[in-house]
Amino acid sequence: MRMANEPIATTAEKLATIQQGYALEGATIELGAAIVDGEIHKEAQVRLPLAMMNRHGLVAGATGTGKTVTLHMIAEQLSTAGVPVFLADIKGDLSGLATAATGSEKLSARTEALGQQWQGKNFPVEFLSLGGDGNGIPVRATITSFGPILLSRIMDLNETQESSLQLIFHFADKNNLELIDLKDLRAVIQFLTSDEGKEQLEDLGGLSKATAGVILRELVGLEGQGMEKFFGEPEFDTAELLRTAPDGRGVISCLELPTLQTKPLLFSTFLMWLLADLFEDLPEAGDLDKPKLVFFLDEAHLLFSDASKAFLEAITTTVRLIRSKGVGIFFVTQTPKDVPADVLGQLANRVQHALRAFTPEDAKALKATVSTFPVSDYDLEETLTSAGIGEAVITVMNEKGAPTPVALTRLRAPESVMGPSTDDLVRSTVASSSLLVKYGTAVDNVSAYEKLTSKAAPSTGDAAPGLPPVPGSVPVGSASGGSAGAPYDIDAEARRIEEEILGCPSSRPAPAPSSFPEPSSFPPAPAPQQASRQDGGMFGDLAGALGGALGGGLKSMVRSMGTQLGRDLVRGVFGTSSRRRR
């Protein structure tokens, strides 16, 4: 916005400013044509340098203004340039990337006005789904890999409880109790809150029985919501997101989120796990001609709402450092204020769709958004409230690292279908995927649950020394305790936790006596489908690896423990870890 004492620029001057600002030399993502004084000028093309895509970005705007179509269009061009893309398909529209669009008179008129040489195309798409919740290849994570900070986010734990969960993870890591799924973590906590585990609980100085009980109750609640299917093996290798197709185009990994509205926090946190896992795996790459991967985080406000300090610090650290590993992150949300300032300051590329100002709060958000843009020839408050669908105010980082001029832009049209592909196409794509063999069938290996309940014989050298079975469990082959084979009663377990561990009246209604399992019984362990896990070697100073993002309770404890060769897992900035990195 020009200062009051500056002369008003002519249309020709405004056009010249935009043309000069977007005259880029290297490969680019073509975004659209500038709108100046109400007219589209196809001679003033707005573009984004491909080499700057790993400087991260923000795509914002009110609902219905075209954010998803913008992601669609950018993903197509990235794929064409040989850059893999990750997208979360919340509304089911992005599966259309696999289907070539057909032209129409209306489409031709739009593309000609923009100077776009349009041709219908389909793109290489890999369909994914969380835990098989949808039609795509199942994406699972082990509890160990997910880590205590991300899991605390899902369980809505406070910072004290989060620090206590870190202690529990440390105990499991130190004792070779593999945390594969929810029942493994539940078994470890039940052991620590039992009479047999009292001594070990006391050794974990910052962990009380009551806090462990609260965590255990929340864990049982996750099982009650059916979330156990998202955790397990085979764990998804995030290196799969970096693939290119045989013709050299980048593979677009499209994660279906059909039940986002019922589990929004789980989904947003799971996306952060994918990004954190990439962060830990990828080597430093420096400045590249094009990124290794561009990662779009839709509904970004879910990541930050009511987040703990440790979680926000971990996100900020990841965003700041993953750029040098060749990964670009684009946050997609309604207003820039949804993103914390420390993160927003690292998002160099901005595509701002229209905002609405129906309430005083909306008006405040509008003014805040305007203040984040460079000085321009546009009245941004008016422009942002009057921009049409498929139009956006854009400023990006040029090849020299400076912001480009602000430009109201009519965005290009995608060349694939702006809507879902047919179910038959999605199913056939999944059926022919090489990933289906690797991840299609869940397995249940020997892990903490089997070790603590003595339901599987531990392999040589892999047992948790000195740990007795959890009280109430029945060893394999035992003739007593028939309830061990009964279905796991989640309500009964939650009631037991409240009454026996937390020492408070249960909020759960008592069922008929015949429906009770034994108080501490576990569900029967599925037969392992392969041998016990090959853990491999391990090294590193746990205190250093955990980094500043983890809670103070765990840091102070492990600082005194020194190096634990072959025993403890090295955990990353989110407390994440993966045994395939060992």
Side-chain angles (χ1 to χ4, degrees):
M1 188 180 300
R2 286 184 175 269
M3 303 299 292
N5 59 347
E6 292 186 32
I8 297 176
T10 65
T11 298
E13 290 173 333
K14 296 175 185 177
L15 278 174
T17 298
I18 292 173
Q19 288 173 315
Q20 293 170 12
Y22 290 91
L24 307 171
E25 296 179 358
T28 60
I29 301 298
E30 301 294 325
L31 298 176
I35 301 174
V36 178
D37 293 336
E39 297 292 332
I40 300 171
H41 294 268
K42 61 182 178 182
E43 70 274 20
Q45 290 292 313
V46 177
R47 47 180 66 95
L48 196 168
L50 191 59
M52 293 294 119
M53 289 292 286
N54 66 336
R55 262 54 173 193
H56 311 318
L58 176 72
V59 179
T63 301
T65 55
K67 297 191 298 296
T68 301
V69 177
T70 297
L71 305 188
H72 192 132
M73 177 264 294
I74 294 176
E76 289 181 346
Q77 295 189 55
L78 286 168
S79 175
T80 300
V83 178
V85 178
F86 175 87
L87 295 166
D89 191 6
I90 292 173
K91 293 177 286 188
D93 294 342
L94 293 171
S95 64
L97 283 156
T99 305
T102 55
S104 66
E105 290 185 10
K106 182 178 180 180
L107 180 61
S108 296
R110 179 186 179 92
T111 56
E112 288 174 8
L114 298 176
Q116 179 183 0
Q117 300 297 315
W118 189 91
Q119 181 182 357
K121 299 176 185 176
N122 64 335
F123 295 84
V125 179
E126 192 76 72
F127 295 105
L128 308 174
S129 63
L130 286 186
D133 186 17
N135 295 317
I137 305 297
V139 175
R140 305 179 187 88
T142 64
I143 291 292
T144 280
S145 176
F146 210 70
I149 293 181
L150 294 178
L151 191 61
S152 295
R153 178 78 172 133
I154 292 177
M155 297 166 69
D156 196 25
L157 302 182
N158 61 35
E159 292 193 18
T160 299
Q161 294 161 351
E162 179 181 303
S163 182
S164 296
L165 185 60
Q166 291 165 13
L167 292 169
I168 294 168
F169 268 71
H170 172 71
F171 173 80
D173 292 348
K174 185 167 66 75
N175 288 281
N176 284 330
L177 295 171
E178 299 90 345
L179 302 177
I180 305 303
D181 49 27
L182 289 177
K183 75 177 186 299
D184 289 321
L185 182 55
R186 174 164 49 81
V188 170
I189 301 175
Q190 284 182 314
F191 168 73
L192 289 172
T193 54
S194 68
D195 291 338
E196 289 84 349
K198 182 179 180 181
E199 182 178 348
Q200 282 86 350
L201 183 70
E202 291 176 352
D203 290 342
L204 297 177
L207 178 62
S208 69
K209 182 175 182 178
T211 300
V214 170
I215 296 171
L216 185 56
R217 180 175 59 183
E218 295 298 325
L219 194 62
V220 170
L222 292 185
E223 293 177 310
Q225 297 173 45
M227 291 189 184
E228 69 277 1
K229 64 184 174 182
F230 301 110
F231 299 100
E233 290 185 310
E235 180 174 89
F236 186 77
D237 186 348
T238 51
E240 310 285 7
L241 303 179
L242 303 174
R243 294 178 301 136
T244 55
D247 61 6
R249 292 185 295 171
V251 171
I252 300 172
S253 299
C254 188
L255 180 70
E256 296 178 85
L257 299 178
T259 56
L260 173 72
Q261 300 306 318
T262 59
K263 304 181 186 75
L265 197 58
L266 169 68
F267 289 135
S268 65
T269 309
F270 220 105
L271 297 185
M272 207 64 221
W273 169 77
L274 290 173
L275 195 58
D277 197 69
L278 281 167
F279 175 75
E280 298 299 331
D281 274 356
L282 290 175
E284 291 291 321
D287 292 327
L288 304 173
D289 292 336
K290 61 183 181 182
K292 294 180 180 179
L293 172 71
V294 176
F295 201 99
F296 290 92
L297 281 170
D298 208 348
E299 300 293 342
H301 66 279
L302 296 174
L303 282 174
F304 305 111
S305 178
D306 299 322
S308 70
K309 181 180 179 182
F311 185 77
L312 292 176
E313 287 177 350
I315 292 178
T316 303
T317 300
T318 302
V319 172
R320 185 175 67 252
L321 299 180
I322 203 170
R323 177 196 68 78
S324 63
K325 300 191 175 190
V327 176
I329 308 169
F330 276 66
F331 293 90
V332 185
T333 190
Q334 294 199 3
T335 70
K337 72 180 182 65
D338 293 335
V339 181
D342 287 345
V343 176
L344 188 63
Q346 300 177 56
L347 310 183
N349 303 304
R350 299 279 300 277
V351 180
Q352 178 67 60
H353 287 266
L355 291 173
R356 308 298 179 222
F358 298 136
T359 68
E361 186 65 26
D362 291 340
K364 184 185 299 183
L366 175 61
K367 289 183 180 294
T369 300
V370 169
S371 69
T372 64
F373 279 90
V375 173
S376 76
D377 292 312
Y378 292 94
D379 181 342
L380 287 181
E381 285 195 31
E382 179 181 347
T383 301
L384 286 175
T385 53
S386 61
I389 297 173
E391 297 176 355
V393 173
I394 292 174
T395 180
V396 301
M397 181 178 285
N398 67 20
E399 293 159 321
K400 297 180 180 179
T404 58
V406 174
L408 176 62
T409 307
R410 176 71 60 86
L411 297 168
R412 290 192 163 212
E415 297 180 316
S416 54
V417 168
M418 291 186 288
S421 290
T422 64
D423 289 342
D424 287 343
L425 176 62
V426 173
R427 283 194 290 265
S428 65
T429 302
V430 172
S432 62
S433 172
S434 61
L435 301 185
L436 187 61
V437 175
K438 296 173 67 174
Y439 303 109
T441 303
V443 297
D444 189 9
N445 292 314
V446 173
S447 53
Y449 170 75
E450 287 81 12
K451 291 178 179 181
L452 286 172
T453 60
S454 300
K455 288 183 179 293
S459 61
T460 303
D462 198 36
L467 296 182
V470 175
S473 65
V474 181
V476 174
S478 172
S480 61
S483 63
Y488 176 51
D489 189 327
I490 291 174
D491 282 340
E493 177 62 12
R495 186 168 47 255
R496 185 189 73 82
I497 293 165
E498 290 172 339
E499 293 176 348
E500 296 182 15
I501 300 176
L502 299 179
C504 61
S506 174
S507 58
R508 309 266 176 157
S514 61
S515 67
F516 272 103
E518 290 297 320
S520 300
S521 65
F522 286 80
Q529 296 189 23
Q530 52 187 60
S532 63
R533 302 174 58 87
Q534 301 300 311
D535 290 337
M538 183 60 215
F539 61 89
D541 188 332
L542 183 61
L546 286 167
L550 297 186
L554 181 56
K555 283 198 299 182
S556 61
M557 181 187 70
V558 301
R559 196 174 289 124
S560 64
M561 289 185 169
T563 304
Q564 301 269 350
L565 295 177
R567 299 297 296 270
D568 294 335
L569 295 174
V570 171
R571 294 194 172 274
V573 70
F574 277 97
T576 55
S577 181
S578 177
R579 288 184 180 269
R580 67 171 180 273
R581 288 195 286 269
R582 295 181 62 175

